[in-house]
């Protein structure tokens, strides 16, 4: 069913590569990197399609039933820029493609010594014939790892100093998911890639998982007064559930330094006592912004301030008590 679409995609990728990318690489004498460049074009095209789909499907939701009405949308612009930089650039996909040869090498030499890295299909052979089931198992395992990465980024002051860039948006929208400090992003990418490799996710599955997860995360940041109902909210992260995570004084304080950490499945928050299903659509941001704390308006200011906060957090010997 998807074959004609895949053919079209490959044709566009080849055309872009041959007319624009290859001549430039040739002129600069970079022919040794031509294979990576071809993969780069793929990442770029997938990003472009994702942004198109996001806008086409989610923007109407924001117009239909916004959680908040804004007099002007200026604060959203910086998140649009974050999205384009991240989706069209070096995303986890690219890190994975870059790391794969290295991992293949390590795996190969381990196999020579008689060690076989764990793989779900080896443990449960019937999974090989049920790609949809194995897709969901991998999705759930990665989501579980992401839940804990996210909790740690609230728990450790130096990491929160970076993650606060994401939380400092007072106008949460479909664009806000990619608003992250680049160091926070790199830690996140590394985490995902290590987990993906440790549990042996086949690259084809990984790309599907990344695309599904990213779309759902854009939906969960969308400025829309929407929950999936009593049961639905417990099965899948909704805009109501994730907005609570961004609520001033709600999503970054308390015994766990926040609530609703799961990217896709609220199950993890329910299991580990961090779920809040109250659906109150709170104002978003960080409490000290109400007292005038400035997290910066542009990407550069936000990055500089993030590093400054991290530096201060690392220099403080005793961890600061939760507010
Ligand atoms: Zn968070
Ligand atoms: Zn968020």
């Amino acid at each position: 069913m998807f074959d004609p679409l895949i053919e079209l995609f490959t044709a566009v990728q080849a055309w872009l590569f041959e007319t624009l990318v290859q001549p430039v690489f040739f002129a600069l004498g970079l022919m040794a990197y031509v294979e990576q460049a071809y993969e780069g074009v793929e990442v770029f095209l997938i990003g472009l399609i994702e942004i198109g789909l996001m806008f086409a499907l989610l923007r109407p939701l924001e117009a239909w039933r916004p959680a908040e009405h804004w007099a002007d949308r200026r604060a959203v612009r910086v998140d649009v820029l974050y999205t384009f930089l991240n989706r069209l650039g070096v995303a986890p996909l690219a890190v994975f493609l870059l790391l794969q040869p290295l991992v293949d090498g390590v795996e190969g030499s381990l196999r020579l010594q008689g060690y076989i890295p764990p793989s779900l299909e080896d443990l449960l052979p019937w999974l090989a014939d049920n790609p949809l089931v194995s897709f969901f198992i991998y999705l759930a395992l990665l989501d579980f790892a992401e839940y804990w990465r996210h909790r740690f980024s609230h728990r450790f002051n130096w990491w929160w100093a970076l993650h606060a860039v994401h939380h400092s948006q007072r106008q949460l929208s479909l664009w806000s998911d990619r608003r992250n400090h680049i160091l926070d992003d790199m830690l996140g990418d590394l985490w995902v890639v290590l987990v993906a490799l440790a549990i042996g996710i086949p690259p084809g599955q990984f790309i599907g998982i990344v695309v599904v997860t990213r779309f759902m995360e854009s939906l969960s940041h969308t400025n829309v007064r929407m929950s999936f109902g009593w049961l639905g909210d417990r099965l899948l992260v909704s805009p109501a559930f994730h907005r609570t995570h961004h609520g001033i004084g709600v999503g970054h304080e308390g015994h766990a330094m926040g609530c609703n950490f799961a990217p896709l499945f609220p199950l993890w928050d329910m299991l580990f006592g961090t779920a809040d299903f109250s659906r109150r659509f709170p104002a978003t941001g960080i409490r000290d912004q109400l007292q005038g704390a400035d997290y910066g308006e542009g990407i550069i200011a936000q990055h500089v301030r993030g590093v400054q906060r991290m530096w201060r957090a690392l220099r403080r010997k005793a961890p600061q008590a939760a507010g």
Side-chain angles (χ1 to χ4, degrees):
M1 164 182 141
F2 292 115
D3 285 354
L5 285 177
I6 292 170
E7 266 170 41
L8 177 68
F9 182 92
T10 315
V12 173
Q13 182 185 5
W15 179 82
L16 259 181
F17 179 74
E18 279 158 24
T19 41
L20 289 174
V21 181
Q22 205 174 22
V24 173
F25 271 64
F26 197 74
L28 295 175
L30 295 171
M31 288 314 279
Y33 299 100
V34 96
E35 217 171 293
Q36 285 90 332
Y38 191 72
E39 280 165 5
V41 173
E42 184 178 336
V43 171
F44 178 86
L45 276 179
I46 292 175
L48 215 56
I49 293 170
E50 280 185 282
I51 292 175
L53 279 177
M54 264 170 67
F55 192 76
L57 297 173
L58 302 180
R59 188 66 189 89
L61 288 181
E62 295 196 335
W64 169 57
R65 254 182 108 194
E68 283 179 341
H69 291 273
W70 303 318
D72 83 72
R73 304 173 53 87
R74 238 187 32 190
V76 172
R77 277 186 220 154
V78 69
D79 292 0
V80 176
L81 190 56
Y82 272 109
T83 303
F84 272 82
L85 286 175
N86 189 284
R87 292 270 155 103
L88 303 183
V90 187
L93 217 55
V95 179
F96 186 76
L97 293 173
L98 287 174
L99 279 183
Q100 191 61 43
L102 180 84
V103 171
D104 284 346
V106 173
E107 258 189 32
S109 64
L110 283 173
R111 272 182 212 275
L112 273 181
Q113 291 167 34
Y115 172 81
I116 296 166
S119 142
L120 269 185
E121 277 79 6
D122 292 341
L123 285 173
L124 307 166
W126 58 272
L127 274 181
D129 303 323
N130 296 279
L132 205 60
V133 179
S134 79
F135 176 81
F136 277 105
I137 294 180
Y138 284 123
L139 191 64
L141 288 172
L142 261 187
D143 201 58
F144 174 75
E146 280 297 284
Y147 168 85
W148 282 103
R149 180 189 61 76
H150 194 181
R151 270 195 80 165
F152 292 145
S153 73
H154 281 236
R155 168 58 61 198
F156 300 115
N157 286 330
W158 63 268
W159 202 344
W160 169 254
L162 299 175
H163 185 52
V165 170
H166 182 65
H167 280 261
S168 64
Q169 177 55 279
R170 314 274 306 269
Q171 295 190 348
L172 205 65
S173 74
L174 70 104
W175 302 103
S176 303
D177 175 49
R178 290 293 104 198
R179 174 198 177 99
N180 284 306
H181 200 286
I182 186 134
L183 294 177
D184 195 13
D185 261 348
M186 284 167 69
L187 285 168
D189 288 355
L190 195 65
W191 182 280
V192 170
V193 165
L194 289 178
V195 172
L197 296 173
I199 57 179
I201 300 187
Q205 294 268 28
F206 186 73
I207 290 166
I209 288 172
V210 168
V211 169
V212 167
T213 307
R214 296 205 300 202
F215 181 78
M216 287 307 295
E217 285 176 339
S218 296
L219 171 64
S220 68
H221 289 90
T222 298
N223 177 26
V224 60
R225 187 169 286 274
M226 177 194 264
S227 97
F228 298 155
W230 187 91
L231 181 63
D233 269 3
R234 281 159 178 78
L235 293 176
L236 205 57
V237 169
S238 68
F241 187 81
H242 195 65
R243 183 163 286 265
T244 305
H245 176 74
H246 280 265
I248 295 182
V250 184
H252 55 93
E253 292 174 12
H255 77 281
M257 309 293 284
C259 61
N260 301 4
F261 296 99
L264 288 182
F265 304 121
L267 174 70
W268 314 127
D269 284 295
M270 289 155 72
L271 281 178
F272 301 108
T274 51
D276 177 341
F277 290 107
S278 56
R279 288 186 233 167
R280 48 195 141 160
F281 296 94
T284 63
I286 304 169
R287 189 190 293 278
D288 61 9
Q289 286 178 301
L290 300 178
Q291 283 104 48
D294 183 7
Y295 287 81
E297 264 187 37
I299 288 188
I300 295 185
Q302 286 166 359
H303 274 67
V304 170
R305 280 162 203 267
V307 170
Q308 286 169 338
R309 285 192 304 272
M310 182 172 77
W311 178 242
R312 282 197 301 273
L314 286 171
R315 279 181 34 172
R316 269 196 304 266
K317 286 210 173 109
Q320 207 187 14

